[in-house]
Amino acid sequence: MNGTRDPKADFLSIYELIRRPGADKLLAWLKSTDFFTAPAGAKHHGAHAGGLVVHSLNVYRRLRELTIRDKSDPNEPGTYHMDHSEEETVAILALLHDVCKVGVYHTETKRRRNPDTGTWEDYQAYTFRDPFPLGHGEKSLYLITKYMALTEEEALAIRWHMGAFDDAVKGGSRALDAAMDVSPWVWRLHEADMCAARIDERKAAGV
Ligand SMILES: [Fe+2]
Ligand SMILES: [Fe+2]
């Protein structure tokens, strides 16, 4: 969400759309972790403190827009109104799909040669080290459902949100294709994730 004043405040206000049992415990756990200060990645999109929350908000805006796009009458684009359960699903998928990134990006001091002066200097960089390597979508799914139940469609969407970049898909699994047949939320969340990382966050970084 470019130009947002306080990403954490925006995140918390959207989180209020999630009213199912356990949502409060899940949020309390998130607040006890580095979720609100973590980057979205070590090198690519959102490689800065708070990048993960900004990414989650970008996915929220994208997912909401494209759900309305897909569900509107083609003759009246943008007119579909989501009911509460759809709004809740959008909030859950967008805000929580990357909770697997909690506790995995560590700051380290590295050395580099300054391109202008040619001298060596220290700089702070993120290094990825996962103490709980359960898999990307799999780990988000596990962490969320420790506190709060998901519908089957939400579980599929979070599990497969990496799309063709998922390790299982790269290894030949056909389950992503089957999951996309079961629920449109699978490709919607993947599409929103791609738009956020490849368009919104690259634009914000001036790439
Ligand atoms: Fe992800
Ligand atoms: Fe993501």
Side-chain angles (χ1 to χ4, degrees), residues 7-9 17 21 34 65 81 93 97 105 153 158 174-175 202:
K8 184 177 178 182
L17 292 165
D34 67 348
E65 278 173 8
H81 284 279
L93 299 185
H97 74 285
Y105 293 111
E153 288 189 89
I158 287 171
R174 297 184 178 195
R202 284 192 181 177

PDB file of all heavy atoms in Angstrom, residues 7-9 17 21 34 65 81 93 97 105 153 158 174-175 202:
ATOM      1  N   PRO A   7       1.822   1.538   8.369  1.00  0.00           N
ATOM      2  CA  PRO A   7       1.408   0.212   7.897  1.00  0.00           C
ATOM      3  C   PRO A   7       0.870  -0.684   9.012  1.00  0.00           C
ATOM      4  O   PRO A   7      -0.101  -1.416   8.804  1.00  0.00           O
ATOM      5  CB  PRO A   7       2.690  -0.365   7.293  1.00  0.00           C
ATOM      6  CG  PRO A   7       3.511   0.822   6.934  1.00  0.00           C
ATOM      7  CD  PRO A   7       3.191   1.872   7.951  1.00  0.00           C
ATOM      8  N   LYS A   8       1.487  -0.617  10.194  1.00  0.00           N
ATOM      9  CA  LYS A   8       1.013  -1.484  11.283  1.00  0.00           C
ATOM     10  C   LYS A   8      -0.421  -1.114  11.677  1.00  0.00           C
ATOM     11  O   LYS A   8      -1.263  -1.996  11.899  1.00  0.00           O
ATOM     12  CB  LYS A   8       1.950  -1.363  12.490  1.00  0.00           C
ATOM     13  CG  LYS A   8       1.563  -2.301  13.616  1.00  0.00           C
ATOM     14  CD  LYS A   8       2.526  -2.234  14.781  1.00  0.00           C
ATOM     15  CE  LYS A   8       2.066  -3.166  15.911  1.00  0.00           C
ATOM     16  NZ  LYS A   8       2.947  -3.089  17.087  1.00  0.00           N
ATOM     17  N   ALA A   9      -0.716   0.199  11.744  1.00  0.00           N
ATOM     18  CA  ALA A   9      -2.081   0.630  12.090  1.00  0.00           C
ATOM     19  C   ALA A   9      -3.069   0.172  11.017  1.00  0.00           C
ATOM     20  O   ALA A   9      -4.181  -0.280  11.332  1.00  0.00           O
ATOM     21  CB  ALA A   9      -2.128   2.144  12.253  1.00  0.00           C
ATOM     22  N   LEU A  17     -11.538  -7.227  10.566  1.00  0.00           N
ATOM     23  CA  LEU A  17     -12.517  -7.945   9.738  1.00  0.00           C
ATOM     24  C   LEU A  17     -12.525  -9.438  10.055  1.00  0.00           C
ATOM     25  O   LEU A  17     -13.454 -10.160   9.702  1.00  0.00           O
ATOM     26  CB  LEU A  17     -12.195  -7.767   8.251  1.00  0.00           C
ATOM     27  CG  LEU A  17     -12.383  -6.372   7.665  1.00  0.00           C
ATOM     28  CD1 LEU A  17     -11.686  -6.265   6.305  1.00  0.00           C
ATOM     29  CD2 LEU A  17     -13.883  -6.080   7.514  1.00  0.00           C
ATOM     30  N   PRO A  21     -13.195 -17.413  15.974  1.00  0.00           N
ATOM     31  CA  PRO A  21     -12.512 -17.752  17.227  1.00  0.00           C
ATOM     32  C   PRO A  21     -11.012 -17.992  17.010  1.00  0.00           C
ATOM     33  O   PRO A  21     -10.618 -18.623  16.033  1.00  0.00           O
ATOM     34  CB  PRO A  21     -13.207 -19.046  17.672  1.00  0.00           C
ATOM     35  CG  PRO A  21     -14.549 -19.004  17.016  1.00  0.00           C
ATOM     36  CD  PRO A  21     -14.358 -18.285  15.721  1.00  0.00           C
ATOM     37  N   ASP A  34       8.719 -11.007  15.381  1.00  0.00           N
ATOM     38  CA  ASP A  34       9.254  -9.873  14.602  1.00  0.00           C
ATOM     39  C   ASP A  34       8.372  -9.551  13.396  1.00  0.00           C
ATOM     40  O   ASP A  34       8.803  -8.844  12.486  1.00  0.00           O
ATOM     41  CB  ASP A  34      10.688 -10.185  14.141  1.00  0.00           C
ATOM     42  CG  ASP A  34      10.740 -11.333  13.124  1.00  0.00           C
ATOM     43  OD1 ASP A  34       9.723 -12.042  12.943  1.00  0.00           O
ATOM     44  OD2 ASP A  34      11.802 -11.535  12.519  1.00  0.00           O
ATOM     45  N   GLU A  65      -9.297  -6.057  -4.998  1.00  0.00           N
ATOM     46  CA  GLU A  65      -9.607  -5.534  -6.343  1.00  0.00           C
ATOM     47  C   GLU A  65      -9.889  -6.663  -7.327  1.00  0.00           C
ATOM     48  O   GLU A  65     -10.846  -6.601  -8.094  1.00  0.00           O
ATOM     49  CB  GLU A  65      -8.412  -4.733  -6.885  1.00  0.00           C
ATOM     50  CG  GLU A  65      -8.337  -3.310  -6.397  1.00  0.00           C
ATOM     51  CD  GLU A  65      -7.044  -2.622  -6.842  1.00  0.00           C
ATOM     52  OE1 GLU A  65      -6.270  -3.194  -7.645  1.00  0.00           O
ATOM     53  OE2 GLU A  65      -6.812  -1.519  -6.351  1.00  0.00           O
ATOM     54  N   HIS A  81     -20.354  -6.425  -4.771  1.00  0.00           N
ATOM     55  CA  HIS A  81     -20.158  -6.130  -3.350  1.00  0.00           C
ATOM     56  C   HIS A  81     -19.914  -7.419  -2.598  1.00  0.00           C
ATOM     57  O   HIS A  81     -20.778  -8.301  -2.590  1.00  0.00           O
ATOM     58  CB  HIS A  81     -21.396  -5.418  -2.767  1.00  0.00           C
ATOM     59  CG  HIS A  81     -21.460  -3.988  -3.185  1.00  0.00           C
ATOM     60  ND1 HIS A  81     -20.730  -2.991  -2.564  1.00  0.00           N
ATOM     61  CD2 HIS A  81     -22.129  -3.382  -4.195  1.00  0.00           C
ATOM     62  CE1 HIS A  81     -20.959  -1.845  -3.182  1.00  0.00           C
ATOM     63  NE2 HIS A  81     -21.801  -2.046  -4.166  1.00  0.00           N
ATOM     64  N   LEU A  93      -6.436 -14.263   3.956  1.00  0.00           N
ATOM     65  CA  LEU A  93      -5.455 -14.703   2.952  1.00  0.00           C
ATOM     66  C   LEU A  93      -4.339 -13.682   2.778  1.00  0.00           C
ATOM     67  O   LEU A  93      -3.154 -14.029   2.729  1.00  0.00           O
ATOM     68  CB  LEU A  93      -6.144 -14.959   1.606  1.00  0.00           C
ATOM     69  CG  LEU A  93      -7.219 -16.043   1.579  1.00  0.00           C
ATOM     70  CD1 LEU A  93      -7.706 -16.260   0.148  1.00  0.00           C
ATOM     71  CD2 LEU A  93      -6.709 -17.352   2.174  1.00  0.00           C
ATOM     72  N   HIS A  97      -0.892 -14.806   4.737  1.00  0.00           N
ATOM     73  CA  HIS A  97      -0.311 -15.830   3.854  1.00  0.00           C
ATOM     74  C   HIS A  97       1.198 -15.996   4.077  1.00  0.00           C
ATOM     75  O   HIS A  97       1.750 -17.059   3.846  1.00  0.00           O
ATOM     76  CB  HIS A  97      -0.595 -15.530   2.381  1.00  0.00           C
ATOM     77  CG  HIS A  97       0.210 -14.410   1.804  1.00  0.00           C
ATOM     78  ND1 HIS A  97      -0.037 -13.087   2.070  1.00  0.00           N
ATOM     79  CD2 HIS A  97       1.285 -14.412   0.976  1.00  0.00           C
ATOM     80  CE1 HIS A  97       0.829 -12.324   1.422  1.00  0.00           C
ATOM     81  NE2 HIS A  97       1.648 -13.106   0.755  1.00  0.00           N
ATOM     82  N   TYR A 105      14.450 -13.839   8.902  1.00  0.00           N
ATOM     83  CA  TYR A 105      15.400 -12.876   8.322  1.00  0.00           C
ATOM     84  C   TYR A 105      16.215 -12.249   9.439  1.00  0.00           C
ATOM     85  O   TYR A 105      15.682 -11.611  10.338  1.00  0.00           O
ATOM     86  CB  TYR A 105      14.653 -11.802   7.520  1.00  0.00           C
ATOM     87  CG  TYR A 105      13.991 -12.372   6.296  1.00  0.00           C
ATOM     88  CD1 TYR A 105      12.604 -12.460   6.202  1.00  0.00           C
ATOM     89  CD2 TYR A 105      14.756 -12.853   5.245  1.00  0.00           C
ATOM     90  CE1 TYR A 105      12.005 -13.008   5.090  1.00  0.00           C
ATOM     91  CE2 TYR A 105      14.167 -13.410   4.122  1.00  0.00           C
ATOM     92  CZ  TYR A 105      12.790 -13.479   4.047  1.00  0.00           C
ATOM     93  OH  TYR A 105      12.194 -14.030   2.947  1.00  0.00           O
ATOM     94  N   GLU A 153     -11.069 -23.917   1.484  1.00  0.00           N
ATOM     95  CA  GLU A 153     -10.595 -23.069   0.373  1.00  0.00           C
ATOM     96  C   GLU A 153      -9.474 -22.138   0.823  1.00  0.00           C
ATOM     97  O   GLU A 153      -8.508 -21.908   0.096  1.00  0.00           O
ATOM     98  CB  GLU A 153     -11.755 -22.259  -0.209  1.00  0.00           C
ATOM     99  CG  GLU A 153     -12.726 -23.121  -0.998  1.00  0.00           C
ATOM    100  CD  GLU A 153     -13.736 -22.264  -1.732  1.00  0.00           C
ATOM    101  OE1 GLU A 153     -13.463 -21.861  -2.878  1.00  0.00           O
ATOM    102  OE2 GLU A 153     -14.795 -21.988  -1.151  1.00  0.00           O
ATOM    103  N   ILE A 158      -3.654 -20.646   0.878  1.00  0.00           N
ATOM    104  CA  ILE A 158      -2.416 -20.317   1.605  1.00  0.00           C
ATOM    105  C   ILE A 158      -1.328 -21.346   1.303  1.00  0.00           C
ATOM    106  O   ILE A 158      -0.184 -20.996   1.037  1.00  0.00           O
ATOM    107  CB  ILE A 158      -2.710 -20.177   3.108  1.00  0.00           C
ATOM    108  CG1 ILE A 158      -3.465 -18.850   3.319  1.00  0.00           C
ATOM    109  CG2 ILE A 158      -1.423 -20.209   3.936  1.00  0.00           C
ATOM    110  CD1 ILE A 158      -4.028 -18.641   4.680  1.00  0.00           C
ATOM    111  N   ARG A 174       1.427 -32.234  -9.160  1.00  0.00           N
ATOM    112  CA  ARG A 174       0.305 -31.691  -9.927  1.00  0.00           C
ATOM    113  C   ARG A 174      -0.798 -31.167  -9.028  1.00  0.00           C
ATOM    114  O   ARG A 174      -1.875 -30.805  -9.499  1.00  0.00           O
ATOM    115  CB  ARG A 174      -0.264 -32.768 -10.843  1.00  0.00           C
ATOM    116  CG  ARG A 174       0.744 -33.223 -11.859  1.00  0.00           C
ATOM    117  CD  ARG A 174       0.162 -34.214 -12.827  1.00  0.00           C
ATOM    118  NE  ARG A 174       1.185 -34.557 -13.803  1.00  0.00           N
ATOM    119  CZ  ARG A 174       0.926 -35.175 -14.942  1.00  0.00           C
ATOM    120  NH1 ARG A 174      -0.312 -35.515 -15.236  1.00  0.00           N
ATOM    121  NH2 ARG A 174       1.893 -35.455 -15.778  1.00  0.00           N
ATOM    122  N   ALA A 175      -0.542 -31.150  -7.726  1.00  0.00           N
ATOM    123  CA  ALA A 175      -1.598 -30.767  -6.783  1.00  0.00           C
ATOM    124  C   ALA A 175      -1.981 -29.292  -6.904  1.00  0.00           C
ATOM    125  O   ALA A 175      -3.109 -28.921  -6.615  1.00  0.00           O
ATOM    126  CB  ALA A 175      -1.164 -31.090  -5.355  1.00  0.00           C
ATOM    127  N   ARG A 202       8.208  -3.229  -6.476  1.00  0.00           N
ATOM    128  CA  ARG A 202       9.305  -2.799  -7.367  1.00  0.00           C
ATOM    129  C   ARG A 202       9.170  -1.325  -7.685  1.00  0.00           C
ATOM    130  O   ARG A 202      10.153  -0.598  -7.744  1.00  0.00           O
ATOM    131  CB  ARG A 202       9.302  -3.632  -8.649  1.00  0.00           C
ATOM    132  CG  ARG A 202       9.852  -4.995  -8.392  1.00  0.00           C
ATOM    133  CD  ARG A 202      10.146  -5.778  -9.649  1.00  0.00           C
ATOM    134  NE  ARG A 202      10.665  -7.093  -9.322  1.00  0.00           N
ATOM    135  CZ  ARG A 202      10.958  -8.022 -10.205  1.00  0.00           C
ATOM    136  NH1 ARG A 202      10.789  -7.798 -11.493  1.00  0.00           N
ATOM    137  NH2 ARG A 202      11.424  -9.187  -9.821  1.00  0.00           N
TER     138      ARG A 202
END
